[in-house]
Amino acid sequence: MTIAKKTARLTVVGAGPGDPDLITLKGVKALRSADIVLYDALANEALLEHVPVHVPRVFVGKRRGHKPLDQDGINRLLVDSARQYGHVVRLKGGDPFVFGRGYEEMDYARRQGIGVDYVPGISSAIAVPGLAGVPVSCRGYSRSFWVMTATNSDGSLSSEVAQAAQNEATVVLLMGLAHIEAIVALFEAAGKSDLPVAVLYHGSRPDAHSVFGTVKDIVQKAQTYTPGMAGIIVLGEVAALGRQLTADGVMSSVLG
Ligand SMILES: C[S@@+](CC[C@H](N)C(=O)[O-])C[C@H]1O[C@@H](n2cnc3c(N)ncnc32)[C@H](O)[C@@H]1O
């Protein structure tokens, strides 16, 4: 009896912000049909319970004491795995297309003749503020929101943060914890010392906690950044709303 060779293909799946219940049904179905799974540090390992027991799972993120694969290495591993095993599921934190390099990985695989698919995930950019009681837009408070990375690929502060400080929109900053002092200085220079700010750590995970303040006092209230800490900074009038829900005890998911 000959066994038919499996078709090489790649599905890039959004794992959501951390809580393993916050993946989509389509994401779970992809995990169930995987022949190999490659996953990141921000994807909750509990999601691997959906993967058949015999299927290999490969961690390709950053972990203390291990040198992570660079992006070229990950791209090659995705293609080699698809050719060797068949269906590769690439599990990424949040949504793969929100600062997740999901598009780049799909594009590389496509150019190598591998069929590709995308399963959206719930991005931390919206879900983490929401779980802390902070709506990114709210009638009477904010009519738009900017989701930005605060950090350039070389580790420096993005110049777009200064532009955002001049705007009325809610500003949602990913990868900003290491630069929080420089960020608030830009908002202070824009005359926004009293603007509400929320710093939201490890949203939707058991160790989630939130710190609320204003541009002038948030640095003193926020935790000192340590590598590996995941956090989102929200600057805007809506940031004060989370504190309100906490005070009223309305939402059980609002901590800190
Ligand atoms: C490389 S980006 C990936 C974003 C992801 N693709 C998404 O849509 O959520 C990583 C950054 O997202 C933010 N982040 C992701 N998950 C988070 C969480 N559970 N709590 C707080 N921030 C989170 C942090 O700012 C972190 O540095």
Side-chain angles (χ1 to χ4, degrees):
M1 191 180 78
T2 51
I3 299 170
K5 196 172 181 323
K6 292 185 173 174
T7 307
R9 63 190 174 107
L10 167 67
T11 307
V12 175
V13 175
D19 178 343
D21 285 351
L22 290 177
I23 189 172
T24 64
L25 268 179
K26 196 160 185 174
V28 170
K29 286 180 186 168
L31 287 170
R32 287 187 185 141
S33 69
D35 295 312
I36 183 168
V37 176
L38 272 61
Y39 65 102
D40 268 356
L42 280 174
N44 192 321
E45 292 196 13
L47 290 170
L48 300 177
E49 285 172 16
H50 298 295
V51 180
V53 281
H54 63 278
V55 167
R57 308 107 202 267
V58 183
F59 178 75
V60 292
K62 288 184 193 149
R63 194 172 268 169
R64 210 165 283 167
H66 290 268
K67 195 169 178 286
L69 275 179
D70 62 13
Q71 193 59 47
D72 288 344
I74 292 174
N75 290 350
R76 281 196 297 273
L77 184 61
L78 286 169
V79 168
D80 292 349
S81 301
R83 289 185 178 138
Q84 188 182 345
Y85 292 91
H87 185 202
V88 179
V89 170
R90 176 74 170 107
L91 190 61
K92 290 176 152 301
D95 182 90
F97 286 179
V98 178
F99 306 118
R101 300 209 172 190
Y103 182 83
E104 292 95 309
E105 293 178 7
M106 289 172 68
D107 190 45
Y108 181 87
R110 181 185 63 81
R111 287 168 191 270
Q112 304 294 316
I114 309 284
V116 293
D117 237 314
Y118 158 71
V119 178
I122 298 177
S123 179
S124 64
I126 294 174
V128 168
L131 289 167
V134 176
V136 288
S137 77
C138 187
R139 190 183 284 254
Y141 289 86
S142 152
R143 283 165 299 168
S144 62
F145 56 96
W146 288 16
V147 176
M148 309 172 64
T149 171
T151 306
N152 296 318
S153 52
D154 64 2
S156 61
L157 179 66
S158 164
S159 59
E160 290 185 32
V161 179
Q163 292 170 32
Q166 304 295 331
N167 201 276
E168 294 304 308
T170 302
V171 179
V172 180
L173 291 175
L174 277 62
M175 293 170 275
L177 295 182
H179 292 295
I180 191 162
E181 292 183 18
I183 291 164
V184 299
L186 290 169
F187 279 77
E188 278 190 319
K192 297 187 172 172
S193 299
D194 294 320
L195 187 71
V197 183
V199 184
L200 312 167
Y201 302 93
H202 298 174
S204 89
R205 302 186 202 162
D207 58 345
H209 57 289
S210 314
V211 176
F212 297 100
T214 61
V215 163
K216 65 172 175 277
D217 66 13
I218 197 72
V219 167
Q220 172 203 332
K221 289 180 167 179
Q223 259 182 268
T224 309
Y225 173 72
T226 51
M229 193 184 257
I232 286 185
I233 305 171
V234 182
L235 301 108
E237 298 299 336
V238 290
L241 300 177
R243 189 157 42 188
Q244 191 173 305
L245 284 183
T246 315
D248 296 347
V250 179
M251 278 175 62
S252 59
S253 61
V254 177
L255 307 169

